[in-house]
Amino acid sequence: MDSQDERTPLPAGSGWLIGLLLATFVIGTDDFIIAGLLPTISAELKVSEGTAGQLVTVFSITYAVACPILAVATRRVPRKALIVGGLAVFAVVNFVTALATSFGMLMVLRVAAALVAATLSPAAFAVAGRLASPERTGRAIGTVAAGLTMSLVVGVPFGSWLSGLAGWEATFIAVGAFTSLAIAITALTLPRIPQTPVVGVAARLRLLRRPPVLLCVLGTMLASTGGLMPYIYMAPITHDLAGVGGQYVGVFIAIVGVSGAVGTVLGGRLTDRWGVDRTLLAAFGGVVAAALVLLAVGGIGQGAAPAWLIGVVLVLWGVPGWGNNPPMNARAMHMGGDAATEALALNTSGLYAGIALAGAIGGGAVNTSGGTGVLVVACAAGLITIAVMALAVRRYPSPRHASQSDTAPEKEKNAVTP
């Protein structure tokens, strides 16, 4: 990491936190926006929408596979240089994407974007957790995670609207422009992080093979499988429960996005107040409870439940559904120890693996039992998640503040308050 005398105080303020939030916002927008661009990309590049949809697949697979590998490969790169430089590359990739003239070229550029995103995201969470004071680690991680949910609420709808107005190329230009803003903010406000002992690759890999880390990743994979399955199959679920579709689906997705953004911030604050493990289990329990309420609403309403009631329950589902992100990342950081960034990267791979499983398993549930079948399977996955994580936190409990470790006094000496 950056060489800096540890007696030199880090600059106060929260500008660096805003910069990291904007970084995750552009990464999330770039990741999710393809879904809204499929029709225009398909028409202009003369491929089917199914083929164009593989742009999402290749991005997700590349991200999941590359994330832990790149975390190890970039371990010696100063964090500020990695984030600012990575954002610069990300901006260039998006500007070049706007110039793509063939589907093959676009596919290659999506792989490049995924590689950069896989490098930046874990680093952003790790830096937020390290720079924040120990009692505010959850809040800092929650703020950075809010950038991802904000991308669903603001970035994706804006990108889709811009695509309809000026073509899909304009969307990537906009992502590049917002990334340039993130570069400026992080370059000006992100402090240089004091140098810490560098742990070798072999030692880091041994840390990542520890049961506490692997259980954390397994919990993330299970949680995203059950928690995101209803989001992916929102259309059949709302059709079966309320008999609505079309414009209602967009409204329901927006409701989940807004409540999810609130949930990430709330999850961070509760992590600092309640502790990591208690917040984590409460969030998982909230997701299962909300899914059960949805099933009950659908059963009582016999497929004609009021749309407003579905919206209310989706708020109750969205808050804990995204609120588990800060405590889970905080737990991954702690369990990773000296390999915290790599543990976060591996945890992110678990998230994307869970998304893939949610799509595959949820698709089978839709084909056999419709939208209610998805909710049943999601509840089962949620209960398994709670069981696994209850065992994990009992066997390997997190400290009161997840940022605490054997080197906590050194961290507190250099902490800044967001």
Side-chain angles (χ1 to χ4, degrees):
M1 292 188 180
D2 290 285
S3 177
Q4 177 177 313
D5 186 346
E6 292 194 7
R7 293 172 295 178
T8 303
L10 295 175
S14 57
W16 59 270
L17 196 56
I18 296 172
L20 294 178
L21 181 151
L22 188 55
T24 56
F25 170 77
V26 295
I27 290 172
T29 300
D30 188 72
D31 182 3
F32 299 126
I33 191 58
I34 289 294
L37 306 182
L38 289 183
T40 53
I41 290 177
S42 172
E44 186 166 329
L45 298 183
K46 295 179 173 54
V47 296
S48 68
E49 289 194 22
T51 300
Q54 300 313 302
L55 294 170
V56 177
T57 303
V58 73
F59 187 103
S60 298
I61 292 176
T62 301
Y63 192 113
V65 173
C67 212
I69 298 173
L70 291 173
V72 174
T74 59
R75 70 193 186 283
R76 294 180 181 272
V77 180
R79 299 297 92 178
K80 181 172 182 178
L82 179 67
I83 291 174
V84 175
L87 286 170
V89 175
F90 196 69
V92 170
V93 169
N94 276 279
F95 286 134
V96 174
T97 299
L99 303 176
T101 56
S102 68
F103 182 75
M105 181 180 179
L106 189 57
M107 182 72 79
V108 170
L109 289 166
R110 294 310 294 162
V111 171
L115 290 173
V116 182
T119 304
L120 287 173
S121 291
F125 283 114
V127 167
R130 186 169 180 216
L131 290 183
S133 54
E135 71 278 4
R136 293 181 176 237
T137 298
R139 186 177 303 184
I141 294 176
T143 301
V144 176
L148 297 175
T149 51
M150 284 175 58
S151 70
L152 294 173
V153 180
V154 179
V156 174
F158 173 77
S160 299
W161 170 80
L162 186 61
S163 173
L165 186 68
W168 63 267
E169 298 89 346
T171 299
F172 288 104
I173 293 175
V175 172
F178 277 108
T179 304
S180 299
L181 178 60
I183 294 170
I185 294 176
T186 53
L188 291 173
T189 63
L190 190 64
R192 297 176 65 201
I193 302 174
Q195 185 176 358
T196 58
V198 176
V199 181
V201 174
R204 286 173 182 257
L205 293 178
R206 282 196 297 272
L207 287 170
L208 294 180
R209 291 198 299 266
R210 294 172 60 236
V213 175
L214 296 179
L215 280 172
C216 190
V217 175
L218 176 61
T220 295
M221 184 181 72
L222 291 172
S224 59
T225 298
L228 295 179
M229 196 181 298
Y231 182 85
I232 295 172
Y233 295 100
M234 184 67 68
I237 288 174
T238 53
H239 178 271
D240 286 3
L241 268 56
V244 297
Q247 72 274 19
Y248 282 96
V249 175
V251 172
F252 289 148
I253 287 177
I255 288 173
V256 172
V258 172
S259 59
V262 173
T264 54
V265 176
L266 181 61
R269 291 179 179 272
L270 291 178
T271 296
D272 295 331
R273 178 172 296 182
W274 290 356
V276 171
D277 298 341
R278 182 182 175 188
T279 304
L280 199 57
L281 293 177
F284 291 154
V287 172
V288 174
L292 289 172
V293 171
L294 277 176
L295 278 172
V297 167
I300 295 173
Q302 297 182 341
W308 65 266
L309 182 57
I310 300 298
V312 170
V313 180
L314 287 177
V315 171
L316 301 178
W317 172 67
V319 170
W322 291 94
N324 67 67
N325 190 297
M328 186 60 93
N329 278 312
R331 181 174 172 82
M333 282 184 62
H334 169 70
M335 296 304 166
D338 289 332
T341 302
E342 290 82 353
L344 282 168
L346 193 62
N347 200 52
T348 304
S349 292
L351 170 66
Y352 275 80
I355 293 173
L357 285 173
I361 298 174
V366 167
N367 291 337
T368 57
S369 306
T372 55
V374 173
L375 290 175
V376 170
V377 174
C379 286
L383 291 173
I384 294 173
T385 303
I386 293 174
V388 169
M389 291 311 300
L391 174 64
V393 300
R394 182 174 181 177
R395 181 68 180 85
Y396 308 105
S398 299
R400 179 63 179 83
H401 297 300
S403 57
Q404 293 174 348
S405 66
D406 294 336
T407 59
E410 293 183 9
K411 176 183 170 174
E412 291 179 11
K413 183 168 55 180
N414 295 290
V416 295
T417 300

